[in-house]
mmCIF file with all atom_site columns, all heavy atoms in Angstrom:
data_model
loop_
_atom_site.group_PDB
_atom_site.id
_atom_site.type_symbol
_atom_site.label_atom_id
_atom_site.label_alt_id
_atom_site.label_comp_id
_atom_site.label_asym_id
_atom_site.label_entity_id
_atom_site.label_seq_id
_atom_site.pdbx_PDB_ins_code
_atom_site.Cartn_x
_atom_site.Cartn_y
_atom_site.Cartn_z
_atom_site.occupancy
_atom_site.B_iso_or_equiv
_atom_site.pdbx_formal_charge
_atom_site.auth_seq_id
_atom_site.auth_comp_id
_atom_site.auth_asym_id
_atom_site.auth_atom_id
_atom_site.pdbx_PDB_model_num
ATOM 1   N N   . THR P 1 42 ? -14.400 37.321 50.392 1.00 0.00 ? 42 THR P N   1
ATOM 2   C CA  . THR P 1 42 ? -14.293 38.446 51.312 1.00 0.00 ? 42 THR P CA  1
ATOM 3   C C   . THR P 1 42 ? -13.211 39.419 50.870 1.00 0.00 ? 42 THR P C   1
ATOM 4   O O   . THR P 1 42 ? -12.334 39.092 50.075 1.00 0.00 ? 42 THR P O   1
ATOM 5   C CB  . THR P 1 42 ? -13.924 37.972 52.728 1.00 0.00 ? 42 THR P CB  1
ATOM 6   O OG1 . THR P 1 42 ? -12.634 37.365 52.697 1.00 0.00 ? 42 THR P OG1 1
ATOM 7   C CG2 . THR P 1 42 ? -14.952 37.018 53.277 1.00 0.00 ? 42 THR P CG2 1
ATOM 8   N N   . ARG P 1 56 ? -11.457 44.931 59.336 1.00 0.00 ? 56 ARG P N   1
ATOM 9   C CA  . ARG P 1 56 ? -12.749 45.062 58.654 1.00 0.00 ? 56 ARG P CA  1
ATOM 10  C C   . ARG P 1 56 ? -12.880 43.906 57.672 1.00 0.00 ? 56 ARG P C   1
ATOM 11  O O   . ARG P 1 56 ? -11.988 43.682 56.858 1.00 0.00 ? 56 ARG P O   1
ATOM 12  C CB  . ARG P 1 56 ? -12.817 46.378 57.906 1.00 0.00 ? 56 ARG P CB  1
ATOM 13  C CG  . ARG P 1 56 ? -14.111 46.572 57.155 1.00 0.00 ? 56 ARG P CG  1
ATOM 14  C CD  . ARG P 1 56 ? -14.136 47.955 56.506 1.00 0.00 ? 56 ARG P CD  1
ATOM 15  N NE  . ARG P 1 56 ? -15.287 48.112 55.691 1.00 0.00 ? 56 ARG P NE  1
ATOM 16  C CZ  . ARG P 1 56 ? -15.296 48.036 54.364 1.00 0.00 ? 56 ARG P CZ  1
ATOM 17  N NH1 . ARG P 1 56 ? -14.168 47.817 53.720 1.00 0.00 ? 56 ARG P NH1 1
ATOM 18  N NH2 . ARG P 1 56 ? -16.396 48.177 53.680 1.00 0.00 ? 56 ARG P NH2 1
ATOM 19  N N   . VAL P 1 57 ? -13.990 43.188 57.769 1.00 0.00 ? 57 VAL P N   1
ATOM 20  C CA  . VAL P 1 57 ? -14.281 42.074 56.863 1.00 0.00 ? 57 VAL P CA  1
ATOM 21  C C   . VAL P 1 57 ? -15.526 42.436 56.073 1.00 0.00 ? 57 VAL P C   1
ATOM 22  O O   . VAL P 1 57 ? -16.583 42.694 56.659 1.00 0.00 ? 57 VAL P O   1
ATOM 23  C CB  . VAL P 1 57 ? -14.516 40.761 57.633 1.00 0.00 ? 57 VAL P CB  1
ATOM 24  C CG1 . VAL P 1 57 ? -14.834 39.633 56.666 1.00 0.00 ? 57 VAL P CG1 1
ATOM 25  C CG2 . VAL P 1 57 ? -13.322 40.420 58.490 1.00 0.00 ? 57 VAL P CG2 1
ATOM 26  N N   . GLN P 1 58 ? -15.394 42.470 54.742 1.00 0.00 ? 58 GLN P N   1
ATOM 27  C CA  . GLN P 1 58 ? -16.539 42.753 53.877 1.00 0.00 ? 58 GLN P CA  1
ATOM 28  C C   . GLN P 1 58 ? -16.838 41.510 53.058 1.00 0.00 ? 58 GLN P C   1
ATOM 29  O O   . GLN P 1 58 ? -15.945 40.943 52.432 1.00 0.00 ? 58 GLN P O   1
ATOM 30  C CB  . GLN P 1 58 ? -16.249 43.927 52.958 1.00 0.00 ? 58 GLN P CB  1
ATOM 31  C CG  . GLN P 1 58 ? -17.425 44.273 52.074 1.00 0.00 ? 58 GLN P CG  1
ATOM 32  C CD  . GLN P 1 58 ? -17.169 45.524 51.247 1.00 0.00 ? 58 GLN P CD  1
ATOM 33  O OE1 . GLN P 1 58 ? -16.133 46.148 51.353 1.00 0.00 ? 58 GLN P OE1 1
ATOM 34  N NE2 . GLN P 1 58 ? -18.127 45.873 50.427 1.00 0.00 ? 58 GLN P NE2 1
ATOM 35  N N   . ALA P 1 59 ? -18.096 41.083 53.073 1.00 0.00 ? 59 ALA P N   1
ATOM 36  C CA  . ALA P 1 59 ? -18.508 39.887 52.346 1.00 0.00 ? 59 ALA P CA  1
ATOM 37  C C   . ALA P 1 59 ? -18.988 40.261 50.952 1.00 0.00 ? 59 ALA P C   1
ATOM 38  O O   . ALA P 1 59 ? -19.887 41.088 50.807 1.00 0.00 ? 59 ALA P O   1
ATOM 39  C CB  . ALA P 1 59 ? -19.617 39.161 53.103 1.00 0.00 ? 59 ALA P CB  1
ATOM 40  N N   . GLY P 1 60 ? -18.392 39.642 49.943 1.00 0.00 ? 60 GLY P N   1
ATOM 41  C CA  . GLY P 1 60 ? -18.840 39.844 48.573 1.00 0.00 ? 60 GLY P CA  1
ATOM 42  C C   . GLY P 1 60 ? -20.055 38.977 48.262 1.00 0.00 ? 60 GLY P C   1
ATOM 43  O O   . GLY P 1 60 ? -20.904 39.339 47.459 1.00 0.00 ? 60 GLY P O   1
ATOM 44  N N   . GLU P 1 61 ? -20.123 37.823 48.902 1.00 0.00 ? 61 GLU P N   1
ATOM 45  C CA  . GLU P 1 61 ? -21.248 36.897 48.811 1.00 0.00 ? 61 GLU P CA  1
ATOM 46  C C   . GLU P 1 61 ? -21.562 36.424 50.228 1.00 0.00 ? 61 GLU P C   1
ATOM 47  O O   . GLU P 1 61 ? -20.790 36.673 51.149 1.00 0.00 ? 61 GLU P O   1
ATOM 48  C CB  . GLU P 1 61 ? -20.897 35.701 47.928 1.00 0.00 ? 61 GLU P CB  1
ATOM 49  C CG  . GLU P 1 61 ? -20.677 36.042 46.473 1.00 0.00 ? 61 GLU P CG  1
ATOM 50  C CD  . GLU P 1 61 ? -20.443 34.798 45.636 1.00 0.00 ? 61 GLU P CD  1
ATOM 51  O OE1 . GLU P 1 61 ? -20.916 33.712 46.005 1.00 0.00 ? 61 GLU P OE1 1
ATOM 52  O OE2 . GLU P 1 61 ? -19.765 34.919 44.612 1.00 0.00 ? 61 GLU P OE2 1
ATOM 53  N N   . THR P 1 62 ? -22.666 35.720 50.392 1.00 0.00 ? 62 THR P N   1
ATOM 54  C CA  . THR P 1 62 ? -23.036 35.227 51.712 1.00 0.00 ? 62 THR P CA  1
ATOM 55  C C   . THR P 1 62 ? -22.027 34.194 52.194 1.00 0.00 ? 62 THR P C   1
ATOM 56  O O   . THR P 1 62 ? -21.723 33.244 51.485 1.00 0.00 ? 62 THR P O   1
ATOM 57  C CB  . THR P 1 62 ? -24.450 34.610 51.697 1.00 0.00 ? 62 THR P CB  1
ATOM 58  O OG1 . THR P 1 62 ? -25.376 35.644 51.298 1.00 0.00 ? 62 THR P OG1 1
ATOM 59  C CG2 . THR P 1 62 ? -24.840 34.094 53.047 1.00 0.00 ? 62 THR P CG2 1
ATOM 60  N N   . ILE P 1 63 ? -21.495 34.424 53.403 1.00 0.00 ? 63 ILE P N   1
ATOM 61  C CA  . ILE P 1 63 ? -20.548 33.501 54.023 1.00 0.00 ? 63 ILE P CA  1
ATOM 62  C C   . ILE P 1 63 ? -21.051 33.162 55.424 1.00 0.00 ? 63 ILE P C   1
ATOM 63  O O   . ILE P 1 63 ? -21.839 33.904 56.003 1.00 0.00 ? 63 ILE P O   1
ATOM 64  C CB  . ILE P 1 63 ? -19.118 34.082 54.077 1.00 0.00 ? 63 ILE P CB  1
ATOM 65  C CG1 . ILE P 1 63 ? -19.094 35.436 54.783 1.00 0.00 ? 63 ILE P CG1 1
ATOM 66  C CG2 . ILE P 1 63 ? -18.542 34.173 52.682 1.00 0.00 ? 63 ILE P CG2 1
ATOM 67  C CD1 . ILE P 1 63 ? -17.709 36.030 54.921 1.00 0.00 ? 63 ILE P CD1 1
ATOM 68  N N   . GLU P 1 64 ? -20.622 32.035 55.939 1.00 0.00 ? 64 GLU P N   1
ATOM 69  C CA  . GLU P 1 64 ? -21.094 31.557 57.236 1.00 0.00 ? 64 GLU P CA  1
ATOM 70  C C   . GLU P 1 64 ? -19.917 31.254 58.144 1.00 0.00 ? 64 GLU P C   1
ATOM 71  O O   . GLU P 1 64 ? -18.786 31.102 57.694 1.00 0.00 ? 64 GLU P O   1
ATOM 72  C CB  . GLU P 1 64 ? -21.931 30.294 57.057 1.00 0.00 ? 64 GLU P CB  1
ATOM 73  C CG  . GLU P 1 64 ? -23.162 30.498 56.198 1.00 0.00 ? 64 GLU P CG  1
ATOM 74  C CD  . GLU P 1 64 ? -23.872 29.199 55.885 1.00 0.00 ? 64 GLU P CD  1
ATOM 75  O OE1 . GLU P 1 64 ? -23.314 28.115 56.130 1.00 0.00 ? 64 GLU P OE1 1
ATOM 76  O OE2 . GLU P 1 64 ? -25.010 29.265 55.391 1.00 0.00 ? 64 GLU P OE2 1
ATOM 77  N N   . ARG P 1 65 ? -20.205 31.115 59.427 1.00 0.00 ? 65 ARG P N   1
ATOM 78  C CA  . ARG P 1 65 ? -19.226 30.769 60.464 1.00 0.00 ? 65 ARG P CA  1
ATOM 79  C C   . ARG P 1 65 ? -17.935 31.593 60.333 1.00 0.00 ? 65 ARG P C   1
ATOM 80  O O   . ARG P 1 65 ? -16.834 31.063 60.270 1.00 0.00 ? 65 ARG P O   1
ATOM 81  C CB  . ARG P 1 65 ? -18.913 29.284 60.448 1.00 0.00 ? 65 ARG P CB  1
ATOM 82  C CG  . ARG P 1 65 ? -20.101 28.437 60.882 1.00 0.00 ? 65 ARG P CG  1
ATOM 83  C CD  . ARG P 1 65 ? -19.705 27.022 61.079 1.00 0.00 ? 65 ARG P CD  1
ATOM 84  N NE  . ARG P 1 65 ? -19.581 26.367 59.777 1.00 0.00 ? 65 ARG P NE  1
ATOM 85  C CZ  . ARG P 1 65 ? -19.275 25.093 59.627 1.00 0.00 ? 65 ARG P CZ  1
ATOM 86  N NH1 . ARG P 1 65 ? -19.045 24.344 60.667 1.00 0.00 ? 65 ARG P NH1 1
ATOM 87  N NH2 . ARG P 1 65 ? -19.199 24.573 58.428 1.00 0.00 ? 65 ARG P NH2 1
ATOM 88  N N   . VAL P 1 66 ? -18.095 32.897 60.321 1.00 0.00 ? 66 VAL P N   1
ATOM 89  C CA  . VAL P 1 66 ? -16.953 33.802 60.177 1.00 0.00 ? 66 VAL P CA  1
ATOM 90  C C   . VAL P 1 66 ? -16.279 33.964 61.538 1.00 0.00 ? 66 VAL P C   1
ATOM 91  O O   . VAL P 1 66 ? -16.939 34.229 62.537 1.00 0.00 ? 66 VAL P O   1
ATOM 92  C CB  . VAL P 1 66 ? -17.411 35.172 59.648 1.00 0.00 ? 66 VAL P CB  1
ATOM 93  C CG1 . VAL P 1 66 ? -16.212 36.098 59.462 1.00 0.00 ? 66 VAL P CG1 1
ATOM 94  C CG2 . VAL P 1 66 ? -18.176 35.012 58.341 1.00 0.00 ? 66 VAL P CG2 1
ATOM 95  N N   . VAL P 1 68 ? -12.857 35.880 63.255 1.00 0.00 ? 68 VAL P N   1
ATOM 96  C CA  . VAL P 1 68 ? -11.754 36.815 63.089 1.00 0.00 ? 68 VAL P CA  1
ATOM 97  C C   . VAL P 1 68 ? -10.917 36.784 64.362 1.00 0.00 ? 68 VAL P C   1
ATOM 98  O O   . VAL P 1 68 ? -11.450 36.947 65.456 1.00 0.00 ? 68 VAL P O   1
ATOM 99  C CB  . VAL P 1 68 ? -12.274 38.247 62.834 1.00 0.00 ? 68 VAL P CB  1
ATOM 100 C CG1 . VAL P 1 68 ? -11.107 39.207 62.643 1.00 0.00 ? 68 VAL P CG1 1
ATOM 101 C CG2 . VAL P 1 68 ? -13.199 38.286 61.639 1.00 0.00 ? 68 VAL P CG2 1
ATOM 102 N N   . TYR P 1 77 ? -19.101 35.636 63.785 1.00 0.00 ? 77 TYR P N   1
ATOM 103 C CA  . TYR P 1 77 ? -20.359 36.033 63.172 1.00 0.00 ? 77 TYR P CA  1
ATOM 104 C C   . TYR P 1 77 ? -20.950 34.792 62.512 1.00 0.00 ? 77 TYR P C   1
ATOM 105 O O   . TYR P 1 77 ? -20.308 34.183 61.648 1.00 0.00 ? 77 TYR P O   1
ATOM 106 C CB  . TYR P 1 77 ? -20.142 37.127 62.136 1.00 0.00 ? 77 TYR P CB  1
ATOM 107 C CG  . TYR P 1 77 ? -19.274 38.260 62.644 1.00 0.00 ? 77 TYR P CG  1
ATOM 108 C CD1 . TYR P 1 77 ? -17.931 38.349 62.286 1.00 0.00 ? 77 TYR P CD1 1
ATOM 109 C CD2 . TYR P 1 77 ? -19.787 39.214 63.514 1.00 0.00 ? 77 TYR P CD2 1
ATOM 110 C CE1 . TYR P 1 77 ? -17.133 39.372 62.758 1.00 0.00 ? 77 TYR P CE1 1
ATOM 111 C CE2 . TYR P 1 77 ? -18.991 40.233 64.005 1.00 0.00 ? 77 TYR P CE2 1
ATOM 112 C CZ  . TYR P 1 77 ? -17.669 40.304 63.624 1.00 0.00 ? 77 TYR P CZ  1
ATOM 113 O OH  . TYR P 1 77 ? -16.870 41.313 64.107 1.00 0.00 ? 77 TYR P OH  1
ATOM 114 N N   . PRO P 1 78 ? -22.165 34.380 62.880 1.00 0.00 ? 78 PRO P N   1
ATOM 115 C CA  . PRO P 1 78 ? -22.739 33.159 62.313 1.00 0.00 ? 78 PRO P CA  1
ATOM 116 C C   . PRO P 1 78 ? -22.969 33.245 60.807 1.00 0.00 ? 78 PRO P C   1
ATOM 117 O O   . PRO P 1 78 ? -22.759 32.274 60.089 1.00 0.00 ? 78 PRO P O   1
ATOM 118 C CB  . PRO P 1 78 ? -24.065 32.991 63.043 1.00 0.00 ? 78 PRO P CB  1
ATOM 119 C CG  . PRO P 1 78 ? -24.177 34.087 64.024 1.00 0.00 ? 78 PRO P CG  1
ATOM 120 C CD  . PRO P 1 78 ? -23.010 34.982 63.891 1.00 0.00 ? 78 PRO P CD  1
ATOM 121 N N   . ILE P 1 79 ? -23.378 34.430 60.323 1.00 0.00 ? 79 ILE P N   1
ATOM 122 C CA  . ILE P 1 79 ? -23.613 34.594 58.889 1.00 0.00 ? 79 ILE P CA  1
ATOM 123 C C   . ILE P 1 79 ? -23.395 36.054 58.511 1.00 0.00 ? 79 ILE P C   1
ATOM 124 O O   . ILE P 1 79 ? -23.695 36.958 59.290 1.00 0.00 ? 79 ILE P O   1
ATOM 125 C CB  . ILE P 1 79 ? -25.036 34.124 58.498 1.00 0.00 ? 79 ILE P CB  1
ATOM 126 C CG1 . ILE P 1 79 ? -25.181 34.035 56.991 1.00 0.00 ? 79 ILE P CG1 1
ATOM 127 C CG2 . ILE P 1 79 ? -26.091 35.021 59.106 1.00 0.00 ? 79 ILE P CG2 1
ATOM 128 C CD1 . ILE P 1 79 ? -26.400 33.263 56.537 1.00 0.00 ? 79 ILE P CD1 1
ATOM 129 N N   . MET P 1 80 ? -22.815 36.248 57.343 1.00 0.00 ? 80 MET P N   1
ATOM 130 C CA  . MET P 1 80 ? -22.665 37.587 56.779 1.00 0.00 ? 80 MET P CA  1
ATOM 131 C C   . MET P 1 80 ? -23.225 37.549 55.368 1.00 0.00 ? 80 MET P C   1
ATOM 132 O O   . MET P 1 80 ? -22.777 36.761 54.536 1.00 0.00 ? 80 MET P O   1
ATOM 133 C CB  . MET P 1 80 ? -21.199 38.020 56.741 1.00 0.00 ? 80 MET P CB  1
ATOM 134 C CG  . MET P 1 80 ? -20.605 38.356 58.086 1.00 0.00 ? 80 MET P CG  1
ATOM 135 S SD  . MET P 1 80 ? -18.861 38.858 57.991 1.00 0.00 ? 80 MET P SD  1
ATOM 136 C CE  . MET P 1 80 ? -18.971 40.372 57.036 1.00 0.00 ? 80 MET P CE  1
ATOM 137 N N   . ARG P 1 81 ? -24.204 38.369 55.108 1.00 0.00 ? 81 ARG P N   1
ATOM 138 C CA  . ARG P 1 81 ? -24.803 38.453 53.771 1.00 0.00 ? 81 ARG P CA  1
ATOM 139 C C   . ARG P 1 81 ? -23.892 39.244 52.836 1.00 0.00 ? 81 ARG P C   1
ATOM 140 O O   . ARG P 1 81 ? -23.101 40.078 53.274 1.00 0.00 ? 81 ARG P O   1
ATOM 141 C CB  . ARG P 1 81 ? -26.167 39.140 53.844 1.00 0.00 ? 81 ARG P CB  1
ATOM 142 C CG  . ARG P 1 81 ? -27.125 38.488 54.805 1.00 0.00 ? 81 ARG P CG  1
ATOM 143 C CD  . ARG P 1 81 ? -27.910 37.405 54.132 1.00 0.00 ? 81 ARG P CD  1
ATOM 144 N NE  . ARG P 1 81 ? -28.828 36.809 55.097 1.00 0.00 ? 81 ARG P NE  1
ATOM 145 C CZ  . ARG P 1 81 ? -29.096 35.543 55.143 1.00 0.00 ? 81 ARG P CZ  1
ATOM 146 N NH1 . ARG P 1 81 ? -28.530 34.712 54.285 1.00 0.00 ? 81 ARG P NH1 1
ATOM 147 N NH2 . ARG P 1 81 ? -29.936 35.059 56.023 1.00 0.00 ? 81 ARG P NH2 1
ATOM 148 N N   . GLY P 1 82 ? -23.999 38.966 51.546 1.00 0.00 ? 82 GLY P N   1
ATOM 149 C CA  . GLY P 1 82 ? -23.203 39.676 50.559 1.00 0.00 ? 82 GLY P CA  1
ATOM 150 C C   . GLY P 1 82 ? -23.433 41.175 50.631 1.00 0.00 ? 82 GLY P C   1
ATOM 151 O O   . GLY P 1 82 ? -24.569 41.625 50.747 1.00 0.00 ? 82 GLY P O   1
ATOM 152 N N   . GLY P 1 83 ? -22.351 41.956 50.608 1.00 0.00 ? 83 GLY P N   1
ATOM 153 C CA  . GLY P 1 83 ? -22.440 43.402 50.664 1.00 0.00 ? 83 GLY P CA  1
ATOM 154 C C   . GLY P 1 83 ? -22.372 43.972 52.071 1.00 0.00 ? 83 GLY P C   1
ATOM 155 O O   . GLY P 1 83 ? -22.304 45.178 52.238 1.00 0.00 ? 83 GLY P O   1
ATOM 156 N N   . THR P 1 84 ? -22.381 43.117 53.088 1.00 0.00 ? 84 THR P N   1
ATOM 157 C CA  . THR P 1 84 ? -22.283 43.600 54.467 1.00 0.00 ? 84 THR P CA  1
ATOM 158 C C   . THR P 1 84 ? -20.841 43.564 54.941 1.00 0.00 ? 84 THR P C   1
ATOM 159 O O   . THR P 1 84 ? -19.996 42.896 54.344 1.00 0.00 ? 84 THR P O   1
ATOM 160 C CB  . THR P 1 84 ? -23.147 42.761 55.423 1.00 0.00 ? 84 THR P CB  1
ATOM 161 O OG1 . THR P 1 84 ? -22.679 41.404 55.416 1.00 0.00 ? 84 THR P OG1 1
ATOM 162 C CG2 . THR P 1 84 ? -24.600 42.791 55.018 1.00 0.00 ? 84 THR P CG2 1
ATOM 163 N N   . SER P 1 85 ? -20.577 44.275 56.032 1.00 0.00 ? 85 SER P N   1
ATOM 164 C CA  . SER P 1 85 ? -19.228 44.242 56.607 1.00 0.00 ? 85 SER P CA  1
ATOM 165 C C   . SER P 1 85 ? -19.329 44.281 58.123 1.00 0.00 ? 85 SER P C   1
ATOM 166 O O   . SER P 1 85 ? -20.308 44.766 58.680 1.00 0.00 ? 85 SER P O   1
ATOM 167 C CB  . SER P 1 85 ? -18.382 45.400 56.087 1.00 0.00 ? 85 SER P CB  1
ATOM 168 O OG  . SER P 1 85 ? -18.950 46.631 56.450 1.00 0.00 ? 85 SER P OG  1
ATOM 169 N N   . ASN P 1 86 ? -18.308 43.765 58.780 1.00 0.00 ? 86 ASN P N   1
ATOM 170 C CA  . ASN P 1 86 ? -18.198 43.756 60.228 1.00 0.00 ? 86 ASN P CA  1
ATOM 171 C C   . ASN P 1 86 ? -16.794 44.182 60.609 1.00 0.00 ? 86 ASN P C   1
ATOM 172 O O   . ASN P 1 86 ? -15.858 44.054 59.824 1.00 0.00 ? 86 ASN P O   1
ATOM 173 C CB  . ASN P 1 86 ? -18.491 42.368 60.807 1.00 0.00 ? 86 ASN P CB  1
ATOM 174 C CG  . ASN P 1 86 ? -19.969 42.065 60.849 1.00 0.00 ? 86 ASN P CG  1
ATOM 175 O OD1 . ASN P 1 86 ? -20.770 42.891 61.267 1.00 0.00 ? 86 ASN P OD1 1
ATOM 176 N ND2 . ASN P 1 86 ? -20.335 40.880 60.405 1.00 0.00 ? 86 ASN P ND2 1
ATOM 177 N N   . VAL P 1 87 ? -16.658 44.653 61.843 1.00 0.00 ? 87 VAL P N   1
ATOM 178 C CA  . VAL P 1 87 ? -15.384 45.139 62.350 1.00 0.00 ? 87 VAL P CA  1
ATOM 179 C C   . VAL P 1 87 ? -15.055 44.409 63.636 1.00 0.00 ? 87 VAL P C   1
ATOM 180 O O   . VAL P 1 87 ? -15.914 44.215 64.486 1.00 0.00 ? 87 VAL P O   1
ATOM 181 C CB  . VAL P 1 87 ? -15.445 46.658 62.596 1.00 0.00 ? 87 VAL P CB  1
ATOM 182 C CG1 . VAL P 1 87 ? -14.171 47.148 63.235 1.00 0.00 ? 87 VAL P CG1 1
ATOM 183 C CG2 . VAL P 1 87 ? -15.700 47.399 61.304 1.00 0.00 ? 87 VAL P CG2 1
#
Side-chain angles (χ1 to χ4, degrees):
T42 64
R56 179 176 175 257
V57 179
Q58 182 175 358
E61 294 185 27
T62 299
I63 55 178
E64 300 172 348
R65 292 190 282 182
V66 182
V68 181
Y77 312 102
I79 191 165
M80 287 180 64
R81 304 272 180 218
T84 62
S85 61
N86 282 314
V87 175

